[in-house]
Amino acid sequence: MVQRTFSIVKPDAVRKGFTAAILAEVEKAGFKLVSIKRMSLSKAQAEGFYYVHAERGFFDELTTFMSSGPIFPMVLEKENAIADLRKLMGATDPAKAEEGTLRKMFASSIGENAVHGSDAEDTAAFEIGYFFAGLELK
Ligand code: ATP
Ligand code: MG
């Protein structure tokens, strides 16, 4: 089933100049770029995006980091996009990520891990709608 998922090139990867290299890996893996833009999040906007983690000890660190500089949010399309992007990204902690995964190649720590990817159909739908209007998704 052709499916859409949501991804972000996070502030650490943008700062290091990895955006184009990450997009190249994503396209090489067969994803179609449906929509992408550059923007910055306020702390409150980052908190709204990661609301499921509000009770976690790392929530303040996470949302401070995600609002620390420009990001590239994007919508990707492919067969089995949600699971395949998670596979391409690798483990949350880059120290545990497999060779060839985005986090192995581009991330430096569990907090600053280069990319985000939706983890299920319902979260993908929420996340796409959080960042993109219907007219940006044709
Ligand atoms: P993402 O949702 O960003 O794609 P993920 O699904 O692999 O990452 P989650 O468990 O959803 O991981 O955690 C969201 C983000 O919170 C992680 O990507 C990471 O940046 C941060 N995070 C998770 N655990 C920790 C931790 N122990 N310390 C610091 N930051 C953490
Ligand atoms: Mg997650």
Side-chain angles (χ1 to χ4, degrees), residues 15-88:
R15 271 194 286 274
K16 291 171 180 164
F18 290 155
T19 304
I22 289 172
L23 294 181
E25 293 295 329
V26 166
E27 286 197 312
K28 213 189 298 172
F31 292 87
K32 176 182 155 196
L33 275 165
V34 175
S35 207
I36 183 166
K37 57 190 170 189
R38 181 183 187 271
M39 64 182 298
S40 296
L41 292 178
S42 68
K43 181 89 155 80
Q45 288 168 337
E47 288 167 357
F49 178 68
Y50 276 120
Y51 76 96
V52 293
H53 295 307
E55 303 307 320
R56 310 287 287 275
F58 56 79
F59 186 64
D60 184 61
E61 177 188 334
L62 171 62
T63 53
T64 297
F65 164 63
M66 287 301 291
S67 57
S68 69
I71 60 171
F72 283 88
M74 71 191 90
V75 177
L76 303 172
E77 188 174 273
K78 167 184 192 304
E79 284 282 323
N80 207 25
I82 295 171
D84 284 1
L85 180 66
R86 298 286 300 185
K87 237 179 280 168
L88 179 66

Side-chain angles (χ1 to χ4, degrees), residues 6 8 10 49-50 52-53 56-59 61-62 65-66 86 89-93 103 109-119 127:
F6 176 76
I8 300 177
K10 293 186 179 184
F49 178 68
Y50 276 120
V52 293
H53 295 307
R56 310 287 287 275
F58 56 79
F59 186 64
E61 177 188 334
L62 171 62
F65 164 63
M66 287 301 291
R86 298 286 300 185
M89 284 162 48
T92 307
D93 181 355
R103 282 169 169 166
S109 69
I110 190 168
E112 306 209 350
N113 60 6
V115 285
H116 165 80
S118 305
D119 58 13
E127 293 172 359

